[in-house]
Amino acid sequence: MQASKLVQVLQVLKPEEMGRLERFLQSSYFADVKHRAKVLALFALLRQQHPTFEEAQMQKSRFVKQLYPEQPLVQKLDKLMSLLFRQIRRFIVVEGLFEDSTEADALLLEARFYRQRQLEKHFQQSIQRLRQVQQSSQPKNKEHLLNDFLINEELSTFESFFNKRQKESLNLPATIQSLDLFYVFARLEYSCGLLSQHRFSAPLNTVMELGISPLLGQQIENDPLYDLPVIQSYYHAYRLLAEGKDSDIYFKLKHIIEQYEHEIPFGQLQSLQAVCRSFCAHCYNQGDEFYLQEGFQLYRSHLEGGYLYRQDGLLPSIIKNIVTIGLSLKEYDWIYAFLVAHKDKIVGTQFPQEVHRFNLANYYFAIKDYNTALDHLGDKYEDTYYRLAARRMELKIYFEQRSVLLDSKIESFKAYIYRSSKRNLLPQLHFTGNNNFIDLLRQVNHPGTYQNGKRIDRLSQKIDSRKALVERDWLLVKLDELR
């Protein structure tokens, strides 16, 4: 029974949800459910085992004996489990309607009922209230635009039925216009998500086949219909992701976000801000130093505004990005204070302390306390990029300490990234960036590099020319120290 869908669903319900489910099952609305008494009895037995459902207590034979002592057949229990699960599915739907529905959703269902029952006055009153709710709801998000379309669709359907040739348009122009707005915004949002997901792991031209057509792009830019801040911001975010390095688009997007911050839904605002930060990181990795400081200011601003938090904490990737950029700018005191303040505010990982220790290791490495940095490195990193960064830091520490272990660690790291790449755990761009780092570190560490000006110059040019390369600045600094 432990592996049944019924038990798996019950296991994820909270105690208060189990209580509501019991009242739902006891409702007289379901008085005609077949074997209702047995269904309730089975649920009562299962509730006693919630939430652990330990294997020793979940043998089918135990339940059969308690429910059918006179005729202990497993087939009867299977049928009863099926009946109970059918009721739980109904409960999930009802719970979802109560939890997720808004006032607009309720009014829309009400208006649809009145239209279908031909209660014209009641329908018009519901539509009027719906319009008022829509006008008062800010900011405009995808759900808002969808509701606009559904309201207009109801009006069009209503007028087509009650039409007495007084309204020849049947509200269809407004329906089409609201559909266009919803479609364009939804298409932009999903296209940005697609580009963000595949930007570093798939060829751009492959992704672009599913993108916004030039004709639609021109329409968004020139048609006043699409002059909503949320649509304009997503359009520029889309262009930034699709067209690559274009500072004009970046600053235009940044300006729209800052100017209309309170007119863009919070979730969408977080996504748009992430696009800006990603663009800064991409430009800096391509060698544009300006975007290091620009990216750090974005992180600080978004942190202060509360936009980086998820469930009152920060994801490991966000913490790592802030620490890496801040240390590159030698903001040592600010970074240390940031890490202390967020020690117990790390979410999205089973090993938050390992994440905290790694970032402290990064800090200690930056201030050249290499032994303390090495002591803080662990091996319980769920995130691939944390594992990569930890291995690179280990190599850098051994280089700084002139350790005899460096060569063997380099070989181990190279084998690791090749295995990760073959198993599709590492996007091609990140594989190339780490592989280039390994090859160049070998050359920097070669005895022939020491005080060899010509070789150092050639290596510097090679480092500058590699588009995909992690730890670029560190490699260049180490080369200069060998002159």
Side-chain angles (χ1 to χ4, degrees), residues 142 184-194 234 268 271:
K142 187 167 58 186
V184 166
F185 175 54
R187 185 64 188 268
L188 283 169
E189 185 180 24
Y190 292 135
S191 296
C192 285
L194 177 68
Y234 263 95
Q268 274 85 25
S271 298

Side-chain angles (χ1 to χ4, degrees), residues 331-367:
E331 296 276 357
Y332 303 133
D333 292 342
W334 190 92
I335 290 298
Y336 186 77
F338 164 77
L339 287 173
V340 170
H342 291 83
K343 179 181 179 181
D344 299 319
K345 296 181 180 178
I346 302 171
V347 297
T349 174
Q350 293 180 334
F351 308 106
Q353 291 307 312
E354 285 292 291
V355 169
H356 180 68
R357 286 175 61 80
F358 167 81
N359 285 287
L360 274 178
N362 207 354
Y363 164 77
Y364 285 118
F365 178 83
I367 63 173

Side-chain angles (χ1 to χ4, degrees), residues 461-479:
Q461 291 174 6
K462 190 180 290 188
I463 290 170
D464 284 332
S465 66
R466 295 290 171 91
K467 289 185 176 181
L469 175 62
V470 293
E471 313 289 357
R472 186 191 307 271
D473 290 346
W474 181 83
L475 287 169
L476 289 171
V477 169
K478 295 304 111 181
L479 265 180

Side-chain angles (χ1 to χ4, degrees), residues 35-270:
H35 308 298
R36 182 168 180 266
K38 291 289 187 184
V39 167
L40 286 168
L42 173 59
F43 176 75
L45 292 173
L46 288 169
R47 191 176 182 186
Q48 291 173 10
Q49 307 302 325
H50 183 270
T52 56
F53 294 102
E54 294 178 6
E55 187 174 0
Q57 304 297 321
M58 295 301 295
Q59 301 302 318
K60 278 190 174 183
S61 56
R62 293 183 71 254
F63 285 83
V64 171
K65 285 179 183 178
Q66 293 183 71
L67 292 167
Y68 298 101
E70 72 290 345
Q71 194 178 11
L73 296 175
V74 173
Q75 293 88 339
K76 286 193 172 186
L77 177 62
D78 290 339
K79 179 135 188 195
L80 202 59
M81 289 171 63
S82 177
L83 288 170
L84 175 57
F85 186 66
R86 187 185 305 168
Q87 295 305 105
I88 291 174
R89 288 175 61 194
R90 291 179 177 177
F91 170 75
I92 292 170
V93 172
V94 171
E95 283 280 290
L97 287 173
F98 277 110
E99 285 187 10
D100 299 332
S101 64
T102 63
E103 185 180 2
D105 295 330
L107 285 169
L108 190 62
L109 287 172
E110 190 178 340
R112 188 169 297 149
F113 173 84
Y114 294 142
R115 172 180 59 78
Q116 291 171 342
R117 303 305 170 94
Q118 302 180 33
L119 296 172
E120 182 175 358
K121 181 180 178 181
H122 295 75
F123 173 81
Q124 294 291 3
Q125 289 173 343
S126 293
I127 290 295
Q128 185 178 357
R129 288 166 61 198
L130 257 173
R131 293 290 195 201
Q132 292 170 350
V133 168
Q134 282 291 95
Q135 288 171 5
S136 64
S137 66
Q138 289 291 341
K140 290 181 172 62
N141 56 12
K142 187 167 58 186
E143 288 70 28
H144 180 102
L145 296 178
L146 175 59
N147 278 338
D148 266 351
F149 163 67
L150 293 174
I151 292 168
N152 280 303
E153 184 184 44
E154 279 297 319
L155 276 167
S156 293
T157 306
F158 174 83
E159 290 183 8
S160 67
F161 184 81
F162 286 94
N163 183 33
K164 300 180 178 61
R165 297 190 179 276
Q166 297 174 355
K167 296 181 179 179
E168 294 182 0
S169 68
L170 304 180
N171 198 55
L172 289 174
T175 303
I176 293 169
Q177 188 178 81
S178 57
L179 175 61
D180 282 347
L181 276 172
F182 168 70
Y183 166 77
V184 166
F185 175 54
R187 185 64 188 268
L188 283 169
E189 185 180 24
Y190 292 135
S191 296
C192 285
L194 177 68
L195 286 170
S196 295
Q197 182 70 19
H198 289 276
R199 187 174 186 185
F200 301 119
S201 59
L204 196 60
N205 59 347
T206 302
V207 175
M208 283 301 296
E209 291 174 4
L210 301 174
I212 299 293
S213 68
L215 184 61
L216 182 55
Q218 291 174 11
Q219 192 175 357
I220 293 168
E221 283 196 274
N222 301 319
D223 192 334
L225 174 66
Y226 304 109
D227 197 25
L228 288 174
V230 69
I231 289 182
Q232 287 299 313
S233 56
Y234 263 95
Y235 174 64
H236 286 90
Y238 168 81
R239 289 190 59 195
L240 200 63
L241 289 165
E243 298 173 22
K245 186 177 178 181
D246 190 324
S247 58
D248 288 341
I249 298 175
Y250 164 74
F251 284 109
K252 192 161 187 177
L253 172 60
K254 183 182 175 185
H255 174 73
I256 293 173
I257 292 173
E258 290 173 349
Q259 186 176 3
Y260 299 102
E261 182 176 356
H262 300 295
E263 294 184 37
I264 300 173
F266 187 81
Q268 274 85 25
L269 195 59
Q270 288 180 307

Side-chain angles (χ1 to χ4, degrees), residues 395-406:
L395 295 184
K396 293 190 295 182
I397 290 171
Y398 286 137
F399 177 89
E400 299 286 3
Q401 296 178 331
R402 298 294 184 263
S403 172
V404 294
L405 297 173
L406 179 59

